[in-house]
Amino acid sequence: MSDTGPLSRLHRVQHLDLDLDRLRAEEGNIPDALRNARAEQERLNNLLEDTEITLEATDKKVRQQELDLAGTREQMARAQDEQEKNAFDARAQSQYGSRIQMLGERAEEMEEDLLPLREQQRELTEKAAALRAEHRALRPNLGALETEDEARVQALRDQGEGARKERAELVANLDARTVKEYDMIRKAKKGLGVVEIKNGSCSGCNVNLPVNVQQKAALGKLPPVKCPSCGRFLIRLDV
């Protein structure tokens, strides 16, 4: 079979496709340093988000507790003012005194409840600040690693430019229907759409081929002869 036959050209296309597959696979091989840096960034982002959500809820509790405490203290002040103005006998003094004492005890309880909340608020604020500082410190290294990886990926793509150009030229001179079918077979058959006949067998699935199939495939004509077992296009290169 002539080296310039359509199946030989399609076989060359497959060789280029496999090389491009390898380059694309290499693109996805992210360096460990970058992968670790990205994972650390994600960890910090998640921790910071959780911390800020908890801090926001704690701030809300503190504000509400402070408002309640301020309201109770205002009630105490009004009660004390009314006591001075209106308590003219012992009974009135006792009534006002009981109310003022009750409000005072409630205010003390509120102040006690505020202490752990304010401590939690302080700890969460410090934790959020520390996480932001870690995040800022990570950025320069992560940025440098991202830039290095972009250059790595671009180099791989540049490396495959010649293969893509050659493939486009070959495909332009092949039957479009055959190329489309080849692409479908290759996608379904682990990257191999065209396989050689070796020692009377399909090198794709190792099934023994009938002599008439081998002879027809050796002609290298279109439409391509397919393996009766795996459905790949067959090509004979040793004739």
Side-chain angles (χ1 to χ4, degrees):
M1 183 178 64
S2 172
D3 289 339
T4 59
L7 280 182
S8 287
R9 293 197 297 273
L10 191 58
H11 192 254
R12 174 60 183 169
V13 167
Q14 178 170 269
H15 176 80
L16 296 170
D17 283 339
L18 291 172
D19 194 39
L20 291 170
D21 287 346
R22 177 185 60 80
L23 292 174
R24 280 190 289 269
E26 286 186 30
E27 282 188 31
N29 291 333
I30 300 172
D32 289 342
L34 176 56
R35 183 182 293 104
N36 293 338
R38 286 176 176 173
E40 178 63 9
Q41 182 187 53
E42 183 176 4
R43 184 187 72 84
L44 290 173
N45 285 340
N46 291 337
L47 275 175
L48 181 57
E49 183 180 5
D50 291 345
T51 301
E52 288 179 336
I53 290 172
T54 307
L55 177 58
E56 183 179 358
T58 303
D59 286 342
K60 185 176 181 180
K61 289 179 182 178
V62 169
R63 286 194 299 270
Q64 186 60 55
Q65 194 81 344
E66 288 176 340
L67 285 173
D68 292 344
L69 177 58
T72 301
R73 285 173 173 167
E74 287 178 4
Q75 291 179 50
M76 283 181 61
R78 285 197 300 270
Q80 289 170 343
D81 186 56
E82 290 174 4
Q83 183 185 41
E84 291 178 3
K85 292 179 179 178
N86 303 322
F88 300 114
D89 54 41
R91 180 180 177 185
Q93 285 283 350
S94 176
Q95 289 176 339
Y96 277 110
S98 296
R99 175 166 174 74
I100 290 168
Q101 182 179 357
M102 180 190 69
L103 290 170
E105 290 173 352
R106 185 186 302 169
E108 288 178 1
E109 290 176 359
M110 290 179 176
E111 288 175 346
E112 290 178 359
D113 291 341
L114 264 172
L115 290 177
L117 282 174
R118 284 173 174 157
E119 178 62 18
Q120 183 183 22
Q121 185 183 46
R122 182 190 64 78
E123 292 175 353
L124 289 168
T125 300
E126 291 179 355
K127 182 178 179 180
L131 289 169
R132 291 191 194 97
E134 284 187 65
H135 196 282
R136 286 194 299 272
L138 178 64
R139 286 177 191 166
N141 182 51
L142 178 58
L145 290 171
E146 293 285 6
T147 299
E148 288 178 10
D149 195 58
E150 287 172 6
R152 178 188 70 84
V153 170
Q154 188 58 54
L156 289 169
R157 291 176 181 172
D158 291 343
Q159 185 179 338
E161 185 60 32
R164 283 188 290 272
K165 183 178 179 181
E166 183 182 351
R167 185 191 193 281
E169 292 173 352
L170 288 168
V171 167
N173 293 306
L174 287 168
D175 175 63
R177 183 179 300 177
T178 300
V179 173
K180 183 178 181 180
E181 189 173 6
Y182 152 78
D183 287 334
M184 293 174 62
I185 296 171
R186 201 177 88 85
K187 183 177 180 180
K189 297 294 183 179
K190 300 179 180 179
L192 294 177
V194 183
V195 292
E196 295 181 53
I197 298 173
K198 293 184 177 179
N199 299 321
S201 299
C202 169
S203 61
C205 64
N206 297 318
V207 71
N208 289 325
L209 298 168
V211 174
N212 66 318
V213 172
Q214 297 181 51
Q215 291 173 340
K216 189 175 180 181
L219 298 176
K221 295 181 179 180
L222 298 181
V225 177
K226 294 182 180 179
C227 172
S229 175
C230 67
R232 294 181 174 96
F233 291 162
L234 295 170
I235 185 171
R236 187 71 175 267
L237 298 179
D238 57 350
V239 296

